[in-house]
Amino acid sequence: MKILFIGDIVGSVGRAAVKKVLPALKTKYNPHIIIANAENSAAGRGITASIAKELFDSGVHGITMGNHTWDNKDLFEWIDDEPRLVRPANFPQGAPGQGAALIKANGKSLAIINLQGRTFLPPIDCPFRKADELIEEMRSKTNHILVDFHAEATSEKIAMGWHLDGRATLVVGTHTHVQTNDDRILPEGTAYLTDVGMVGPRDGVLGMERTAVLRKFLTQLPSRFIVDEGDWHFHAVLVETDEATGKATSIVKIRQTEETLMFF
């Protein structure tokens, strides 16, 4: 089984990049199930129903979120009716939506679990204990489980990888928007990458227009961040698995820019 996970999609530039790159990736790798983090897909802040539809129409089968989940208030109107979208499962009890889902496509099944870290982010419920709970629940449905750990601290992400080694098919980090170079298969068969990276403006600061970000760092005054325009870059990861066991057999980082796409 081949699973393609796309890093944080940022704004309209990121969504346009998905539409351009995904057909080439499907031709080259033929993934069975495609998952994307889209918590920044609406102008860098959350997601809307129309954007979710746009991503599904582009070929994405499931969507994960993060700390910007609630930034677009219309989400409250439809999140409970969209079974293909998950938000961090360790939000406190009473939050709408779901933290895990079973995605089916091309004759395959994949459980997706979304968690949010607590280091340098709001102190919500424990992601490690919630992971234990959901892994146990989802393994009764499939032996293929993807965990998107949306976290700031590298140490917290690495710890989660080790915590779930042998129980999840892959553990991928999102949120920091910079693709890391530590892709590996852990000893018990879990594919791991600290951060998948992002899809969106290449010349901004993590997708944001750099002038405003620089002003904030230089003056420490409030500054309104907006998504940058211009050339994009596209980061993802492809994991191949053993059908019988659900363990990973290979992990490949994907990195494309507008300049390199023509040679892809």
Side-chain angles (χ1 to χ4, degrees):
M1 178 174 171
K2 294 179 181 178
I3 303 162
L4 178 68
F5 183 88
I6 301 170
D8 302 53
I9 300 168
V10 181
S12 59
V13 175
R15 302 196 313 268
V18 169
K19 291 180 182 178
K20 290 180 180 179
V21 179
L22 199 49
L25 292 182
K26 290 168 75 173
T27 297
K28 181 172 182 178
Y29 295 113
N30 193 28
H32 296 102
I33 296 183
I34 301 168
I35 309 297
N37 184 289
E39 69 127 19
N40 299 129
S41 57
R45 299 284 189 273
I47 193 171
T48 65
S50 61
I51 288 174
K53 182 179 185 303
E54 178 184 340
L55 293 173
F56 291 136
D57 289 346
S58 296
V60 172
H61 299 116
I63 292 173
T64 58
M65 297 292 286
N67 60 301
H68 288 295
T69 296
W70 314 116
D71 286 7
N72 273 280
K73 302 308 178 188
D74 84 315
L75 180 71
F76 291 92
E77 300 174 7
W78 59 272
I79 188 171
D80 286 324
D81 299 319
E82 180 45 77
R84 296 167 292 179
L85 182 144
V86 294
R87 46 75 175 164
N90 55 319
F91 281 149
Q93 186 174 4
Q98 59 183 351
L102 185 67
I103 304 297
K104 297 183 178 181
N106 296 308
K108 310 294 183 182
S109 296
L110 174 70
I112 58 174
I113 297 172
N114 197 190
L115 298 164
Q116 184 173 306
R118 297 190 293 183
T119 305
F120 309 126
L121 285 171
I124 57 178
D125 294 347
C126 177
F128 293 87
R129 291 187 174 87
K130 180 56 71 171
D132 291 341
E133 174 188 326
L134 290 176
I135 288 282
E136 192 71 24
E137 175 186 334
M138 301 312 286
R139 284 188 71 86
S140 67
K141 302 176 182 180
T142 178
N143 61 3
H144 283 74
I145 300 174
L146 179 155
V147 176
D148 172 0
F149 191 27
H150 197 80
E152 184 81 34
T154 299
S155 58
E156 193 175 16
K157 293 179 181 180
I158 293 172
M160 182 64 77
W162 286 112
H163 184 63
L164 296 181
D165 184 24
R167 294 191 287 160
T169 303
L170 63 155
V171 176
V172 289
T174 57
H175 179 63
T176 53
H177 291 204
V178 177
Q179 189 177 78
T180 55
N181 199 36
D182 60 341
D183 50 303
R184 63 179 295 192
I185 297 176
L186 297 173
E188 298 301 320
T190 294
Y192 175 81
L193 181 62
T194 295
D195 203 280
V196 180
M198 63 166 278
V199 179
R202 183 183 185 187
D203 295 328
V205 176
L206 306 185
M208 297 295 112
E209 194 276 321
R210 63 179 181 269
T211 302
V213 178
L214 286 168
R215 184 183 306 117
K216 171 70 173 179
F217 279 119
L218 287 167
T219 67
Q220 290 301 297
L221 294 174
S223 187
R224 181 172 179 267
F225 294 170
I226 60 173
V227 176
D228 197 27
E229 300 294 334
D231 292 349
W232 49 259
H233 57 174
F234 179 105
H235 295 142
V237 64
L238 181 83
V239 171
E240 193 161 358
T241 75
D242 182 307
E243 289 272 6
T245 65
K247 294 183 183 297
T249 56
S250 70
I251 178 170
V252 177
K253 297 193 305 296
I254 295 169
R255 183 182 183 120
Q256 294 294 315
T257 66
E258 286 198 64
E259 294 90 339
T260 60
L261 184 64
M262 68 182 70
F263 304 109
F264 189 72

